[in-house]
Amino acid sequence: MSGLDSSKALTGIPAALRTPLVDEFNKLVRHYREGRWEPAELNGGKLCEIVYSILRGHVDNRFPSRPSKPRNMVDACRAFENETAFPRSVRFQIPKMLISLYEVRNNRNVGHVGADVDPNHMDATVVLSITQWIMAELVRLFHTVSTEEATEIVNSLVDRTFPLLWKVGDKVRILDPNMSAKDKCLALIYGSIGPQNVRFIVDSIEYSNITQFKIKVLKPMHKSKLIEYDRKNESVSISPLGTAYVEKNILPSCTII
């Protein structure tokens, strides 16, 4: 994780706009994971209005007290092109992405009966990808970090909790006792933010022997690139391959409650 605290990544945006922005982003991600394509796309439309309000407040140097929808989203976004004192991200790039998101919201059978195309996985994937890009740009805009750092911060903003994990005080329990230690470990790290201490993982999944855990679970997963096992710091991070494994093999079997 970069030196920037992810919990403070968007503090340049007032809480009245920052809180609904992060909330709507997390709703979108959860709906996408659950295969609820239409709600995910609707969240994308709502997020458009929040981001527009943030850009407008940034340009005007006067943030609104709450998000609002412009009368004409396309024209309102194009109006940013005239704000020559601001970077292209504010003038062109984010506004054009907002126009694309709003197009999906209004004209891909989301929220309207009788439109041309049924909401599906393809459309929801586009919405999610554009939204992640916009969130990263907002982090970059308000904190001047690299694209890589911004992407990492956005990933850490995602609420990765799901019903398989149960937080009890300072412990986390896996609610499926029949899962393998490998799957329990991956689920735990996936549902957490940042690298996790080996001792914490062992205690959480209730593995009896930490030495055997390192040999039989961590080292094989490290070798197959599902995780990065940092022996010096005794920490474990999930890799993109590990994330894909969880989302393909573990999340679909979870009952959403």
mmCIF file of all heavy atoms in Angstrom, residues 1-4 132-133 135-137 139-140 144-156 240:
data_model
loop_
_atom_site.group_PDB
_atom_site.id
_atom_site.type_symbol
_atom_site.label_atom_id
_atom_site.label_comp_id
_atom_site.label_asym_id
_atom_site.label_seq_id
_atom_site.Cartn_x
_atom_site.Cartn_y
_atom_site.Cartn_z
ATOM 1 N N MET A 1 0.850 -1.193 0.000
ATOM 2 C CA MET A 1 0.000 0.000 0.000
ATOM 3 C C MET A 1 0.881 1.235 0.000
ATOM 4 O O MET A 1 1.924 1.273 0.615
ATOM 5 C CB MET A 1 -0.902 -0.001 1.246
ATOM 6 C CG MET A 1 -1.937 1.095 1.290
ATOM 7 S SD MET A 1 -3.118 0.974 -0.060
ATOM 8 C CE MET A 1 -3.886 2.559 0.009
ATOM 9 N N SER A 2 0.459 2.252 -0.703
ATOM 10 C CA SER A 2 1.227 3.483 -0.750
ATOM 11 C C SER A 2 1.154 4.189 0.583
ATOM 12 O O SER A 2 0.396 3.833 1.465
ATOM 13 C CB SER A 2 0.668 4.398 -1.847
ATOM 14 O OG SER A 2 -0.626 4.805 -1.494
ATOM 15 N N GLY A 3 1.969 5.265 0.717
ATOM 16 C CA GLY A 3 2.012 5.983 1.978
ATOM 17 C C GLY A 3 0.742 6.745 2.281
ATOM 18 O O GLY A 3 0.510 7.160 3.399
ATOM 19 N N LEU A 4 -0.110 6.943 1.283
ATOM 20 C CA LEU A 4 -1.353 7.671 1.479
ATOM 21 C C LEU A 4 -2.387 6.774 2.120
ATOM 22 O O LEU A 4 -2.679 5.696 1.626
ATOM 23 C CB LEU A 4 -1.868 8.182 0.127
ATOM 24 C CG LEU A 4 -3.186 8.953 0.121
ATOM 25 C CD1 LEU A 4 -3.072 10.201 0.993
ATOM 26 C CD2 LEU A 4 -3.570 9.333 -1.295
ATOM 27 N N GLN A 132 -14.489 2.587 -11.904
ATOM 28 C CA GLN A 132 -13.193 2.427 -11.239
ATOM 29 C C GLN A 132 -12.183 3.444 -11.773
ATOM 30 O O GLN A 132 -11.397 4.005 -11.009
ATOM 31 C CB GLN A 132 -12.674 1.001 -11.443
ATOM 32 C CG GLN A 132 -13.447 -0.042 -10.649
ATOM 33 C CD GLN A 132 -13.028 -1.460 -10.996
ATOM 34 O OE1 GLN A 132 -12.806 -1.794 -12.154
ATOM 35 N NE2 GLN A 132 -12.922 -2.307 -9.984
ATOM 36 N N TRP A 133 -12.211 3.667 -13.069
ATOM 37 C CA TRP A 133 -11.296 4.648 -13.670
ATOM 38 C C TRP A 133 -11.587 6.053 -13.136
ATOM 39 O O TRP A 133 -10.673 6.802 -12.794
ATOM 40 C CB TRP A 133 -11.427 4.618 -15.188
ATOM 41 C CG TRP A 133 -10.460 5.524 -15.893
ATOM 42 C CD1 TRP A 133 -9.224 5.207 -16.347
ATOM 43 C CD2 TRP A 133 -10.667 6.911 -16.203
ATOM 44 N NE1 TRP A 133 -8.638 6.320 -16.927
ATOM 45 C CE2 TRP A 133 -9.492 7.369 -16.849
ATOM 46 C CE3 TRP A 133 -11.717 7.805 -16.003
ATOM 47 C CZ2 TRP A 133 -9.351 8.685 -17.296
ATOM 48 C CZ3 TRP A 133 -11.575 9.122 -16.443
ATOM 49 C CH2 TRP A 133 -10.397 9.545 -17.076
ATOM 50 N N MET A 135 -13.040 6.870 -10.290
ATOM 51 C CA MET A 135 -12.635 6.952 -8.890
ATOM 52 C C MET A 135 -11.129 7.169 -8.776
ATOM 53 O O MET A 135 -10.661 7.981 -7.966
ATOM 54 C CB MET A 135 -13.041 5.674 -8.155
ATOM 55 C CG MET A 135 -14.542 5.475 -8.000
ATOM 56 S SD MET A 135 -15.324 6.671 -6.881
ATOM 57 C CE MET A 135 -14.750 6.059 -5.289
ATOM 58 N N ALA A 136 -10.364 6.446 -9.593
ATOM 59 C CA ALA A 136 -8.909 6.612 -9.558
ATOM 60 C C ALA A 136 -8.508 8.018 -9.995
ATOM 61 O O ALA A 136 -7.586 8.618 -9.424
ATOM 62 C CB ALA A 136 -8.242 5.569 -10.454
ATOM 63 N N GLU A 137 -9.188 8.566 -10.980
ATOM 64 C CA GLU A 137 -8.886 9.920 -11.429
ATOM 65 C C GLU A 137 -9.201 10.946 -10.343
ATOM 66 O O GLU A 137 -8.474 11.925 -10.174
ATOM 67 C CB GLU A 137 -9.672 10.248 -12.703
ATOM 68 C CG GLU A 137 -9.024 9.745 -13.972
ATOM 69 C CD GLU A 137 -7.633 10.329 -14.183
ATOM 70 O OE1 GLU A 137 -7.513 11.544 -14.410
ATOM 71 O OE2 GLU A 137 -6.656 9.558 -14.112
ATOM 72 N N VAL A 139 -9.039 10.403 -7.141
ATOM 73 C CA VAL A 139 -7.953 10.287 -6.167
ATOM 74 C C VAL A 139 -6.727 11.027 -6.679
ATOM 75 O O VAL A 139 -6.081 11.799 -5.957
ATOM 76 C CB VAL A 139 -7.612 8.804 -5.891
ATOM 77 C CG1 VAL A 139 -6.341 8.689 -5.053
ATOM 78 C CG2 VAL A 139 -8.770 8.114 -5.171
ATOM 79 N N ARG A 140 -6.397 10.827 -7.942
ATOM 80 C CA ARG A 140 -5.234 11.509 -8.526
ATOM 81 C C ARG A 140 -5.417 13.016 -8.539
ATOM 82 O O ARG A 140 -4.498 13.773 -8.259
ATOM 83 C CB ARG A 140 -5.010 11.017 -9.969
ATOM 84 C CG ARG A 140 -4.317 9.687 -10.013
ATOM 85 C CD ARG A 140 -4.016 9.133 -11.382
ATOM 86 N NE ARG A 140 -4.310 9.948 -12.532
ATOM 87 C CZ ARG A 140 -3.382 10.613 -13.246
ATOM 88 N NH1 ARG A 140 -2.122 10.585 -12.890
ATOM 89 N NH2 ARG A 140 -3.739 11.277 -14.319
ATOM 90 N N THR A 144 -2.710 14.065 -6.152
ATOM 91 C CA THR A 144 -1.511 14.077 -6.989
ATOM 92 C C THR A 144 -0.635 12.849 -6.748
ATOM 93 O O THR A 144 0.526 12.949 -6.354
ATOM 94 C CB THR A 144 -0.672 15.354 -6.746
ATOM 95 O OG1 THR A 144 -1.548 16.478 -6.657
ATOM 96 C CG2 THR A 144 0.275 15.588 -7.919
ATOM 97 N N VAL A 145 -1.199 11.693 -6.972
ATOM 98 C CA VAL A 145 -0.440 10.447 -6.869
ATOM 99 C C VAL A 145 -0.373 9.804 -8.251
ATOM 100 O O VAL A 145 -1.056 10.224 -9.186
ATOM 101 C CB VAL A 145 -1.089 9.461 -5.862
ATOM 102 C CG1 VAL A 145 -1.062 10.042 -4.469
ATOM 103 C CG2 VAL A 145 -2.516 9.110 -6.278
ATOM 104 N N SER A 146 0.439 8.762 -8.385
ATOM 105 C CA SER A 146 0.575 8.084 -9.665
ATOM 106 C C SER A 146 -0.676 7.269 -9.981
ATOM 107 O O SER A 146 -1.495 6.982 -9.095
ATOM 108 C CB SER A 146 1.785 7.144 -9.632
ATOM 109 O OG SER A 146 1.529 6.055 -8.760
ATOM 110 N N THR A 147 -0.801 6.867 -11.243
ATOM 111 C CA THR A 147 -1.934 6.035 -11.645
ATOM 112 C C THR A 147 -1.949 4.727 -10.867
ATOM 113 O O THR A 147 -3.010 4.259 -10.439
ATOM 114 C CB THR A 147 -1.860 5.738 -13.155
ATOM 115 O OG1 THR A 147 -1.880 6.975 -13.876
ATOM 116 C CG2 THR A 147 -3.030 4.879 -13.609
ATOM 117 N N GLU A 148 -0.763 4.132 -10.664
ATOM 118 C CA GLU A 148 -0.676 2.871 -9.923
ATOM 119 C C GLU A 148 -1.142 3.045 -8.481
ATOM 120 O O GLU A 148 -1.903 2.230 -7.957
ATOM 121 C CB GLU A 148 0.763 2.360 -9.952
ATOM 122 C CG GLU A 148 0.940 1.009 -9.254
ATOM 123 C CD GLU A 148 2.380 0.552 -9.268
ATOM 124 O OE1 GLU A 148 3.277 1.424 -9.163
ATOM 125 O OE2 GLU A 148 2.616 -0.659 -9.391
ATOM 126 N N GLU A 149 -0.695 4.121 -7.836
ATOM 127 C CA GLU A 149 -1.106 4.376 -6.458
ATOM 128 C C GLU A 149 -2.603 4.646 -6.381
ATOM 129 O O GLU A 149 -3.290 4.165 -5.475
ATOM 130 C CB GLU A 149 -0.339 5.573 -5.900
ATOM 131 C CG GLU A 149 1.122 5.300 -5.612
ATOM 132 C CD GLU A 149 1.860 6.561 -5.197
ATOM 133 O OE1 GLU A 149 1.774 7.581 -5.914
ATOM 134 O OE2 GLU A 149 2.521 6.534 -4.149
ATOM 135 N N ALA A 150 -3.122 5.418 -7.340
ATOM 136 C CA ALA A 150 -4.547 5.735 -7.340
ATOM 137 C C ALA A 150 -5.387 4.473 -7.489
ATOM 138 O O ALA A 150 -6.399 4.293 -6.802
ATOM 139 C CB ALA A 150 -4.864 6.715 -8.471
ATOM 140 N N THR A 151 -4.961 3.570 -8.376
ATOM 141 C CA THR A 151 -5.688 2.312 -8.566
ATOM 142 C C THR A 151 -5.676 1.481 -7.303
ATOM 143 O O THR A 151 -6.690 0.892 -6.902
ATOM 144 C CB THR A 151 -5.059 1.517 -9.728
ATOM 145 O OG1 THR A 151 -5.109 2.304 -10.918
ATOM 146 C CG2 THR A 151 -5.813 0.216 -9.964
ATOM 147 N N GLU A 152 -4.529 1.428 -6.626
ATOM 148 C CA GLU A 152 -4.416 0.669 -5.377
ATOM 149 C C GLU A 152 -5.328 1.253 -4.307
ATOM 150 O O GLU A 152 -5.987 0.519 -3.558
ATOM 151 C CB GLU A 152 -2.960 0.689 -4.906
ATOM 152 C CG GLU A 152 -2.682 -0.226 -3.732
ATOM 153 C CD GLU A 152 -1.213 -0.226 -3.339
ATOM 154 O OE1 GLU A 152 -0.428 0.485 -3.984
ATOM 155 O OE2 GLU A 152 -0.864 -0.936 -2.387
ATOM 156 N N ILE A 153 -5.388 2.572 -4.239
ATOM 157 C CA ILE A 153 -6.238 3.229 -3.254
ATOM 158 C C ILE A 153 -7.703 2.940 -3.530
ATOM 159 O O ILE A 153 -8.489 2.640 -2.621
ATOM 160 C CB ILE A 153 -5.968 4.741 -3.228
ATOM 161 C CG1 ILE A 153 -4.584 5.021 -2.637
ATOM 162 C CG2 ILE A 153 -7.045 5.479 -2.422
ATOM 163 C CD1 ILE A 153 -4.095 6.424 -2.858
ATOM 164 N N VAL A 154 -8.101 3.015 -4.806
ATOM 165 C CA VAL A 154 -9.487 2.725 -5.168
ATOM 166 C C VAL A 154 -9.843 1.295 -4.782
ATOM 167 O O VAL A 154 -10.924 1.036 -4.238
ATOM 168 C CB VAL A 154 -9.724 2.965 -6.676
ATOM 169 C CG1 VAL A 154 -11.082 2.426 -7.101
ATOM 170 C CG2 VAL A 154 -9.655 4.450 -6.987
ATOM 171 N N ASN A 155 -8.944 0.349 -5.040
ATOM 172 C CA ASN A 155 -9.201 -1.035 -4.638
ATOM 173 C C ASN A 155 -9.419 -1.146 -3.138
ATOM 174 O O ASN A 155 -10.244 -1.924 -2.665
ATOM 175 C CB ASN A 155 -8.038 -1.930 -5.059
ATOM 176 C CG ASN A 155 -7.994 -2.163 -6.553
ATOM 177 O OD1 ASN A 155 -9.000 -2.001 -7.237
ATOM 178 N ND2 ASN A 155 -6.829 -2.526 -7.065
ATOM 179 N N SER A 156 -8.683 -0.350 -2.359
ATOM 180 C CA SER A 156 -8.806 -0.414 -0.907
ATOM 181 C C SER A 156 -10.085 0.250 -0.410
ATOM 182 O O SER A 156 -10.506 0.019 0.718
ATOM 183 C CB SER A 156 -7.591 0.246 -0.238
ATOM 184 O OG SER A 156 -7.658 1.656 -0.326
ATOM 185 N N PRO A 240 -3.726 -10.645 -8.265
ATOM 186 C CA PRO A 240 -4.864 -10.639 -9.202
ATOM 187 C C PRO A 240 -5.359 -12.048 -9.515
ATOM 188 O O PRO A 240 -6.566 -12.255 -9.664
ATOM 189 C CB PRO A 240 -4.276 -9.956 -10.445
ATOM 190 C CG PRO A 240 -3.224 -9.046 -9.911
ATOM 191 C CD PRO A 240 -2.612 -9.807 -8.769
#
